[in-house]
């Protein structure tokens, strides 16, 4: 509840040029790392900036760049690229995937380390979110051991022959089982799952909340230490499927499609229109009163002279 209250408070202070429907949230949590807990970063970030914050403030550099840590224990950094949520789903009721929202809020509150980034926007170069994260992670580790093992699950749009490509969650489970048998190989593990496409893990019949819960259960059963970063891709979220004209109309009217019937708020344009209509109504009433008064005064007929009263 503290996260929702904080987001509602900051949403009212957003610049007019940003709409919650065109931004997506990101959540980072870990039961292994300690330090920051229930921290909300209110900056409007692009994926590369978010990746930098995750590496420095979120502690992912310990998972991905520390060869010494990898040689003594099995640690996995898990990046889940979703497509369902936008920032409005966090500050209000979610009609897309309520199980996912509840899971994110629960893990945010109950983990030893957790951070939230409610305002993620699409980059200007239109690069896939997963590609931006992998490039930034690799750049942050280039002077250390670096990331030498990355597994891609689902419809990740990243080119390269060095990645381990897995078809679905079952293949990922087998991969994680094989990795836990090689704890001492000194490799850093990054798992990237991209929601969408035709894979079993990304089919529409399986919600992102259920997929994420299944992955967390697998890692808990394996007994490995892990950290999870859920990022809702602004390109893939439902708000991004609306045309630019539709987004502009949403900014003016405060509605998107079927959500118009559920909107009870009045933004700056709404208040301006209400003030103008109120002033117009008051002006019309005063004009009617003025015209009525003039008509009454013109209808008054008084005699021009008065007769002298007779003597009593």
């Amino acid at each position: 509840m503290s996260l929702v209250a904080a987001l509602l408070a900051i949403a009212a202070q957003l610049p007019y040029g940003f709409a919650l429907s065109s931004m997506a949230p990101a959540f980072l949590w870990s039961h292994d790392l300690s330090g920051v807990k229930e921290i909300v970063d209110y900056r409007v970030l692009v994926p590369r900036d978010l990746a930098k914050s995750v590496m420095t403030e979120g502690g992912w550099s310990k998972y991905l760049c520390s060869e010494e840590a990898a040689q003594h224990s099995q640690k996995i950094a898990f990046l889940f690229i979703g497509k369902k949520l936008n920032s409005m789903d966090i500050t209000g009721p979610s009609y897309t995937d309520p199980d996912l929202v509840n899971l994110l809020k629960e893990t945010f509150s109950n983990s030893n380390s957790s951070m939230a980034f409610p305002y993620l926007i699409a980059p200007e170069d239109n690069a896939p979110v997963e590609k931006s994260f992998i490039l930034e992670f690799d750049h942050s580790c280039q002077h250390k051991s670096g990331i030498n093992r990355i597994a891609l699950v689902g419809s990740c749009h990243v080119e390269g022959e060095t990645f381990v490509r897995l078809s679905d969650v079952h293949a990922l489970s087998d991969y994680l089982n094989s990795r836990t048998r090689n704890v001492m190989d000194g490799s850093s593990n990054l798992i990237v799952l991209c929601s969408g496409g035709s894979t079993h893990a990304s089919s529409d019949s399986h919600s992102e909340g259920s997929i994420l819960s299944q992955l967390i259960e697998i890692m808990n059963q394996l007994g490995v230490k892990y950290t999870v970063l859920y990022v809702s891709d602004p390109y893939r979220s439902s708000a991004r499927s609306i045309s630019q004209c539709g987004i502009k109309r949403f900014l003016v009217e405060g509605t998107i499609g079927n959500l118009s019937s559920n909107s009870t708020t009045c933004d700056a344009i709404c208040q301006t229109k209400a003030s103008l209509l109120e002033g117009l109504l008051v002006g019309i009433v005063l004009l009617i009163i003025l015209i009525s008064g003039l008509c009454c005064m013109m209808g008054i007929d008084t005699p021009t002279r008065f007769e002298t009263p007779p003597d009593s």
Side-chain angles (χ1 to χ4, degrees):
M1 296 300 294
S2 59
L3 171 62
V4 178
L7 294 182
L8 287 173
I10 198 65
Q13 304 176 14
L14 280 177
Y16 178 75
F18 294 107
L20 291 179
S21 62
S22 62
M23 293 186 287
F27 289 86
L28 169 67
W29 72 90
S30 173
H31 294 287
D32 175 39
L33 295 173
S34 59
V36 294
K37 180 177 175 60
E38 296 189 29
I39 300 298
V40 181
D41 191 336
Y42 297 118
R43 295 176 297 170
V44 178
L45 302 173
V46 295
R48 293 294 293 263
D49 293 335
L50 175 58
K52 293 178 182 178
S53 297
V54 169
M55 292 294 286
T56 56
E57 302 173 15
W60 271 39
S61 59
K62 299 178 181 179
Y63 271 70
L64 302 179
C65 304
S66 178
E67 183 177 359
E68 180 180 357
Q71 291 178 343
H72 290 84
S73 62
Q74 185 71 10
K75 294 184 178 181
I76 298 176
F78 191 85
L79 173 61
F80 191 111
I81 306 295
K83 66 175 183 178
K84 296 293 186 181
L85 299 184
N86 55 44
S87 296
M88 290 191 304
D89 295 318
I90 306 301
T91 58
S94 175
Y95 302 95
T96 54
D97 196 342
D99 293 336
L100 174 61
V101 175
N102 293 333
L103 176 61
L104 293 175
K105 292 179 180 179
E106 180 181 357
T107 53
F108 178 83
S109 302
N110 299 332
S111 299
N112 293 333
S113 175
S114 57
M115 296 184 68
F117 307 86
Y119 307 124
L120 178 66
I121 60 175
E124 296 182 356
D125 57 1
N126 298 329
V129 170
E130 56 271 22
K131 181 178 180 181
S132 299
F133 274 93
I134 292 177
L135 290 177
E136 184 58 38
F137 290 160
D138 187 66
H139 176 74
S140 299
C141 294
Q142 65 180 353
H143 300 300
K144 299 180 183 179
S145 64
I147 308 172
N148 47 26
R149 190 174 294 273
I150 301 177
L152 305 179
V153 186
S155 58
C156 297
H157 301 285
V158 182
E159 299 178 355
E161 300 179 354
T162 59
F163 304 111
V164 178
R165 298 186 181 273
L166 305 173
S167 58
D168 52 30
V169 177
H170 296 295
L172 175 60
S173 178
D174 296 336
Y175 172 79
L176 291 176
N177 275 287
S178 65
R179 294 301 302 149
T180 54
R181 302 189 190 101
N182 300 310
V183 177
M184 303 302 293
D185 63 353
S187 61
S188 302
N189 294 281
L190 173 62
I191 310 295
V192 182
L193 187 146
C194 303
S195 179
S198 58
T199 60
H200 172 74
S202 307
S203 61
D204 294 335
S205 60
H206 295 77
S207 67
E208 292 182 2
S210 62
I211 296 173
L212 186 57
S213 298
Q214 184 179 358
L215 295 173
I216 293 176
E217 182 179 357
I218 291 174
M219 288 183 283
N220 288 333
Q221 291 176 353
L222 293 175
V224 299
K225 297 180 179 180
Y226 66 91
T227 177
V228 181
L229 173 62
Y230 173 88
V231 179
S232 185
D233 190 347
Y235 281 126
R236 294 170 178 163
S237 63
S238 57
R240 296 298 296 182
S241 63
I242 304 173
S243 63
Q244 293 298 324
C245 179
I247 292 179
K248 292 180 180 178
R249 187 178 356 173
F250 170 75
L251 291 175
V252 174
E253 299 177 0
T255 59
I256 290 184
N258 294 332
L259 293 180
S260 59
S261 59
N262 298 324
S263 178
T264 57
T265 59
C266 186
D267 57 7
I269 293 181
C270 173
Q271 294 178 2
T272 302
K273 291 181 178 180
S275 301
L276 293 176
L277 291 176
E278 182 180 353
L280 180 62
L281 180 62
V282 173
I284 292 175
V285 172
L286 293 178
L287 182 60
I288 293 175
I289 294 175
L290 177 61
I291 294 176
S292 300
L294 292 176
C295 292
C296 291
M297 293 180 62
M298 294 176 62
I300 297 177
D301 189 12
T302 58
T304 57
R305 64 186 183 84
F306 297 91
E307 295 182 358
T308 304
D311 295 336
S312 56

